[in-house]
Amino acid sequence: MATGIGENSSVTTVQLWSADGSGRWTAGPSRPAHNARDGWTTDHHAGDLQSPVGVFTLSDAGGKLADPGTRLPYHRSDSFTLDGTGFQGEPLAGSFDYVIAIDYNRTPGRSPLDTSHPLGDDRGGGIWLHVDHGGPTHGCIALARPDLRTLLTALDPAAHPVIVMGPANSLSQ
């Protein structure tokens, strides 16, 4: 779960929930993270600098670095490269060392680098969980490197993992 502190905030918390065999849910520790610069939206479009609100499957992972031991299909490529600086002047290098594709406007089963968008290009895409660079994102959720590695190794495709994401007030409805 990625829970933003407010509709227009780029500050969020990520928490892994898991169910046991009887369907009882247990929350893991909360981890600080970032979402999009302009907060959240239920009507995401390319370039709006907001993270989409919803429940999305997590089916594929990848990155510039070698697979850290995830059970998700992992696509390693040097194309997972990001240079320059973020909205607050922070360096972006290393942000895509590890990513988990959030299945918003993408076809599961393909590399996170795949640019096909089933809902159309105007609805955006390329929404990932990735390594935090210390500031807001364009639409993704960014976690500290150790937290993302932990998440990568915890996710089991047989359990059909999803991410529930949005501002806290909308997720409680």
Side-chain angles (χ1 to χ4, degrees):
M1 176 179 288
T3 308
I5 64 168
E7 186 174 311
N8 300 314
S9 176
S10 64
V11 176
T12 196
T13 300
V14 172
Q15 189 172 37
L16 178 63
W17 286 75
S18 39
D20 63 18
S22 67
R24 181 174 170 228
W25 289 91
T26 304
S30 294
R31 305 290 185 201
H34 287 99
N35 57 284
R37 184 191 76 182
D38 294 342
W40 302 92
T41 183
T42 56
D43 188 26
H44 181 70
H45 289 274
D48 67 8
L49 300 178
Q50 295 179 300
S51 297
V53 173
V55 179
F56 308 101
T57 55
L58 302 172
S59 58
D60 299 280
K64 187 172 183 176
L65 300 180
D67 181 348
T70 186
R71 288 172 278 179
L72 295 173
Y74 192 85
H75 309 267
R76 201 219 66 77
S77 172
D78 288 335
S79 296
F80 285 100
T81 300
L82 186 62
D83 295 316
T85 56
F87 295 112
Q88 299 173 340
E90 73 279 10
L92 299 176
S95 296
F96 297 161
D97 284 352
Y98 300 110
V99 306
I100 301 169
I102 296 171
D103 293 340
Y104 167 82
N105 200 18
R106 71 176 299 273
T107 304
R110 297 185 181 175
S111 166
L113 293 170
D114 181 68
T115 58
S116 61
H117 300 121
L119 301 175
D121 290 340
D122 64 312
R123 294 295 302 274
I127 306 295
W128 298 341
L129 288 149
H130 64 71
V131 176
D132 195 2
H133 47 77
T137 70
H138 282 84
C140 299
I141 306 297
L143 287 159
R145 180 183 305 272
D147 296 334
L148 187 58
R149 283 181 58 101
T150 297
L151 185 59
L152 276 162
T153 58
L155 293 177
D156 181 356
H160 309 288
V162 299
I163 185 167
V164 178
M165 49 193 266
N169 64 339
S170 74
L171 296 180
S172 64
Q173 297 174 1

